[in-house]
Amino acid sequence: MVTPDKNTRIGWIGTGVMGQWMCRHLLNAGFETSVFNRTKAKSQALIGEGAHWRESPEAVAKASDIIFTIVGFPEDVEAVYLGERGVLAGANPGAIVVDMTTTAPSLAQTIAIAAQKKGIVALDAPVSGGDVGAKNATLSIMLGGDEETALAITPLLKIMGKKVTYQGAAGSGQHTKMCNQIVIAGTMIGMCESLIYGHKAGLDLHVMLKSISGGAAACWSLDNLAPRILNNELSTGFFVEHFVKDMGIALAEARQMQLALPGLALANQLYQSVIAHGGARLGTQSLMLALRHLNHMA
Amino acid sequence: MVTPDKNTRIGWIGTGVMGQWMCRHLLNAGFETSVFNRTKAKSQALIGEGAHWRESPEAVAKASDIIFTIVGFPEDVEAVYLGERGVLAGANPGAIVVDMTTTAPSLAQTIAIAAQKKGIVALDAPVSGGDVGAKNATLSIMLGGDEETALAITPLLKIMGKKVTYQGAAGSGQHTKMCNQIVIAGTMIGMCESLIYGHKAGLDLHVMLKSISGGAAACWSLDNLAPRILNNELSTGFFVEHFVKDMGIALAEARQMQLALPGLALANQLYQSVIAHGGARLGTQSLMLALRHLNHMA
């Protein structure tokens, strides 16, 4: 296994809103870094800062000791790792690959097994904290896979995040991220239903929020997203289509485990309604749209 | 209208877990105080500290300038105010009555109208913060009713609470409390479903919570009640039967306003299941019991 040191060659696949910042932190820390992104333009800034452009995930893997990926949907992760010119086709024995995309725990397990057959260790390391956390290197990183390898790369992950927590075998990082999203699904419903009730009851919602913040109703969504709703700012933040992807993964995993999660299922349905109303690329606070339409208030 | 000063005579009805502490703070501030409680034993400590026992809500009201009430269910509030030997039968013209029970906004409006006919001002002022908030005088108090009166008694309320916020016409304090409970209903579902998912996925829940706390999933329920669940401590905290009362009020008000709140309705149903399993007087974190039974994990 590779033990990361200052000569470790980094590979980075996926230089979108999150990945670009995370990769930049490693680049700024002095690591030689190879990059690939489906849309090359989104890597241009990093290339200007010294990253080496490679033509495929395979090429990135060939040139690197530790390869990080953060792409979009589970099918993207599958293509990047298991595809013809994918990471596992190029990675050298002894390499470490780390998927930071939020994806299916079962896919993380599949990749870990496929990697192991080639003498490669695959970890899952999804993050929470959004683009702000990526930029400020304050992400919470949830690690699954071989423990020794996970501990070995933790110093690298600490360059990108504030909190790095080992959660267990392959897929455990993803399962932990699902736990995170399941809580959020509940807080979003509670927060939005509270606002629509207060509005209908004729309250001044700004004043109402003063009364209920900081107590037993306190939550991140109430502090950060309720003000955006009052400000009619529905387009910023975490995309609905990504949250729906995450809830879909959690519900599919729950189904496989024969686990009924009625609250998550309801949140998923309400967000499907947001998508039906054209809100796929709005922020998650646009759950409010579904409740407004449901109540003929749109 | 009475303007509160150091000679204002206080009446207090309802000396249970919350009321006892709230009344004590006024007593300690030097006010002459009359008390009544359905079970006299629960007033004994306050009587020992100098409060005058009265034989009925009517008798308390006769002896007082400002009368506070904090009892159990809406039917108790109705009896205490509108009953034969109730507050409105005894209160002198110019008196102020303040109901701090969590009760129906429509009942608060009914009481305000009945009071007005007798030259009395009735305010609704439910609280959040629980028994700890009552003891430490850190409650959040949500005020509804005549604004001038509300402002006049705010200094008295500040003796019992940290945050006193005027919310609007009669019933607005209660509506605000409903907003608070609606958010909590959502956070409770999210928190409990997250724990049951994590458990089923084989995670160490203590370690999982480390990863997800402090980020976008952060909420009071996760910080304060998830640890109790992991500790198998289901009996402490806010009673399920009281939370179900609150959700019932919110759902009834919503129905009157023709407002569909599917998340709140689901939470209410799951808590009905907790009651079916004998959990009426457990803490709200025992929502976990409903999810366990639902998933044949009990």
Side-chain angles (χ1 to χ4, degrees), chain B residues 33 41 44 108 110 130 173 177 188 205 238 241 253 257 267-268:
Chain B
T33 304
Q44 216 56 63
T110 301
K177 180 67 188 281
M188 292 303 300
L205 297 182
F238 188 56
E241 66 181 4
E253 295 285 327
M257 299 190 285
N268 183 55

Side-chain angles (χ1 to χ4, degrees), chain A residues 38 57 70-84 86 99 101-104 107-108 111 241-242 244-246 248-249:
Chain A
R38 204 162 44 187
I70 182 162
V71 294
F73 289 80
E75 51 269 33
D76 301 320
V77 172
E78 206 171 340
V80 160
Y81 276 95
L82 308 175
E84 211 183 324
D99 184 28
T101 320
T102 295
T103 181
L107 176 57
I111 291 170
E241 65 181 5
H242 289 149
V244 166
K245 172 198 79 166
D246 296 352
I249 291 169

Side-chain angles (χ1 to χ4, degrees), chain A residues 140 163 175 193 211 213 260 263 295, chain B residues 163 167 193 211 213 260 263 295:
Chain A
S140 174
K163 188 154 64 174
H175 275 310
E193 288 194 355
S211 273
S213 66
N295 284 294
Chain B
K163 189 155 62 174
Q167 293 290 347
E193 289 195 355
S211 274
S213 66
N295 285 294

